[in-house]
Amino acid sequence: MKFKLAVLPGDGVGPEVVAAAVQVLQAVGRMSGHEFVISYSDIGGVSIDRHGVALTEDTLKMCKRSHAVLLGAVGGPKWDNPLASMRPEDGLLALRKGLKLFANLRPVKVLPMLIDSTTLKPEVLRGVDLLVVRELTGGLYFGKPKRQWQTAKGRRAVDSMVYSEEEIERILRAGFELARVRRRKLTSVDKANVLESSRLWRQIAIELSSDYPDVELEHQLVDACAMRLIQRPAEFDVIVTENTFGDILTDEASMLAGSLGMLPSASIAGIPESRRRIFGLYEPIHGSSPRRAGRDMANPIATILSSAMMLRYSFGLAKEAESIESAIESVLEEGYRTYDIMSKGMKKVGTKGMGDLIARKVA
Ligand code: IPM
Ligand code: MG
């Protein structure tokens, strides 16, 4: 089959990790006979520099015409001025909103051969296999009012955590559905002891749970969840939470897998079902890592794993997705490591080297 793929490399290490993922996809194409027709465009800082905006209408259109989008990263010190009217991150947010990608799936799995390269005790990490379902187009990121202004008593600023019933229901349903095809445990994370939006969230979670009697629902406050994630991470199956909480908890959870450079993500506009292909945006959860940019250092595995998620959800190619995942495992098994997961006695490789090794295994 023929699939249209929009690729937005973005800033910092984005272009390097994306190049490695494209190389792996091409190997999958050769092996499976499927064709991936790729169009490239700009997003983030590079788009501000070239076109004056972080996301152009043309780029958004190109993405809408594709079956899926693969993205590197956005941002960097060059565009970090807090007074600037536009930031690279605005491009990513506009893309998520423009493509209606309300559900962000961030799986966290601890690979046995990396247990020793994490900062946590191996016995805490054994068996960790969780999925964070993060709400992606609401909450503090998009709520209005959102502004900064001058008053007689100094400056003030406001962000608003706004959620409608519809927004909460669809993300919770995504959580329930995904729990159903895993270990059937859903942890709904909120701050219902303080926030009104969280109280609505919790009520709706309780109401919906009668539609999913086969899924065990528990509620956790976000601060307690942050603690439990490093105390007893193996107890989690699916965590569903609002935008900002999910952003913070997934950076924390990435340390369970050894590095931010290991965690993929899928942002989708519906609830994934095994038989239906779904439009999505796939990106590593790490940022643009400006200090490593252009130095062939960054770990491409998060982006390569993201492209495996793309094959599974957007292209319906589950077998090919698995072949990427097992190629990654065997390259790690053989002792190859990028700097971020390096440990004694292992063989250090760069972004390109890691991409080559994985592509060769897939083929
Ligand atoms: C992420 C990133 C983004 C976010 C930034 C770059 C806007 O941290 O995808 O987790 O906060 O969503
Ligand atoms: Mg983040």
Side-chain angles (χ1 to χ4, degrees):
M1 277 183 63
K2 203 166 166 170
F3 298 98
K4 273 198 263 177
L5 172 59
V7 174
L8 312 176
D11 306 319
V13 299
E16 295 163 73
V17 292
V18 159
V22 166
Q23 187 189 355
V24 172
L25 281 175
Q26 276 156 351
V28 170
R30 279 192 299 276
M31 168 199 76
S32 63
H34 295 294
E35 193 184 340
F36 305 114
V37 185
I38 300 181
S39 326
Y40 286 88
S41 195
D42 297 323
I43 191 163
V46 60
S47 178
I48 295 179
D49 288 353
R50 287 187 188 148
H51 316 289
V53 287
L55 174 73
T56 65
E57 276 300 321
D58 283 350
T59 300
L60 183 61
K61 269 194 213 134
M62 184 188 103
C63 293
K64 284 184 178 163
R65 282 196 305 266
S66 308
H67 295 106
V69 183
L70 181 67
L71 189 142
V74 296
K78 181 176 173 194
W79 306 280
D80 253 351
N81 179 358
L83 299 175
S85 63
M86 181 165 291
R87 304 175 52 94
E89 290 78 2
D90 297 334
L92 181 56
L93 299 184
L95 189 64
R96 289 172 178 172
K97 194 78 173 175
L99 299 174
K100 301 190 171 66
L101 305 169
F102 68 88
N104 182 218
L105 316 188
R106 299 187 160 185
V108 181
K109 213 168 163 172
V110 179
L111 298 177
M113 58 288 211
L114 291 186
I115 276 196
D116 292 323
S117 63
T118 67
T119 52
L120 297 168
K121 291 194 186 123
E123 60 267 30
V124 175
L125 295 175
R126 214 151 282 133
V128 168
D129 178 6
L130 62 92
L131 171 68
V132 180
V133 181
R134 170 189 174 195
E135 201 290 325
L136 202 60
T137 51
L140 285 176
Y141 280 57
F142 297 94
K144 297 274 167 54
K146 181 187 202 64
R147 66 188 187 103
Q148 206 184 110
W149 72 99
Q150 186 71 49
T151 73
K153 291 204 191 108
R155 287 167 292 178
R156 283 175 84 87
V158 62
D159 292 287
S160 309
M161 193 183 280
V162 183
Y163 272 108
S164 70
E165 176 165 6
E166 187 200 350
E167 287 173 313
I168 295 173
E169 179 172 337
R170 67 184 178 183
I171 193 71
L172 283 169
R173 282 200 188 275
F176 276 111
E177 294 286 344
L178 287 156
R180 219 168 219 185
V181 294
R182 292 175 47 103
R183 300 194 307 278
R184 294 196 292 279
K185 184 169 169 200
L186 181 65
T187 307
S188 170
V189 174
D190 61 37
K191 186 72 185 171
N193 52 348
V194 178
L195 301 177
E196 210 52 61
S197 54
S198 282
R199 286 193 272 271
L200 180 59
W201 180 285
R202 193 174 284 212
Q203 276 162 28
I204 296 174
I206 293 167
E207 287 158 16
L208 290 181
S209 66
S210 57
D211 288 353
Y212 303 90
D214 50 330
V215 175
E216 180 198 336
L217 170 69
E218 66 168 359
H219 305 277
Q220 239 170 59
L221 297 173
V222 63
D223 48 354
C225 178
M227 178 194 73
R228 285 271 301 279
L229 265 177
I230 50 169
Q231 187 195 29
R232 284 199 293 269
E235 286 181 3
F236 289 102
D237 180 15
V238 178
I239 294 175
V240 62
T241 192
E242 72 85 41
N243 205 342
T244 306
F245 298 162
D247 178 45
I248 298 167
L249 292 177
T250 49
D251 265 31
E252 184 192 8
S254 74
M255 287 300 106
L256 305 171
S259 163
L260 258 178
M262 293 298 298
L263 284 210
S265 86
S267 304
I268 50 183
I271 296 173
E273 292 163 37
S274 54
R275 288 174 311 281
R276 203 162 52 91
R277 295 195 197 104
I278 193 163
F279 177 81
L281 164 81
Y282 300 84
E283 54 176 324
I285 85 154
H286 65 70
S288 61
S289 189
R291 281 191 302 134
R292 327 265 178 217
R295 296 169 64 190
D296 190 35
M297 282 180 82
N299 184 350
I301 292 180
T303 314
I304 297 172
L305 282 172
S306 302
S307 69
M309 292 183 87
M310 174 173 83
L311 295 183
R312 182 170 290 122
Y313 293 129
S314 289
F315 299 168
L317 302 177
K319 203 168 68 103
E320 288 75 4
E322 273 160 37
S323 77
I324 294 183
E325 289 155 355
S326 50
I328 291 171
E329 286 182 34
S330 48
V331 167
L332 292 172
E333 205 70 78
E334 286 165 16
Y336 294 100
R337 300 282 188 275
T338 42
Y339 82 93
D340 56 317
I341 47 174
M342 185 62 192
S343 57
K344 230 170 89 212
M346 298 291 129
K347 295 170 265 196
K348 196 159 169 185
V349 291
T351 314
K352 223 185 147 302
M354 184 58 93
D356 287 341
L357 286 161
I358 297 168
R360 222 173 300 145
K361 278 273 183 257
V362 162

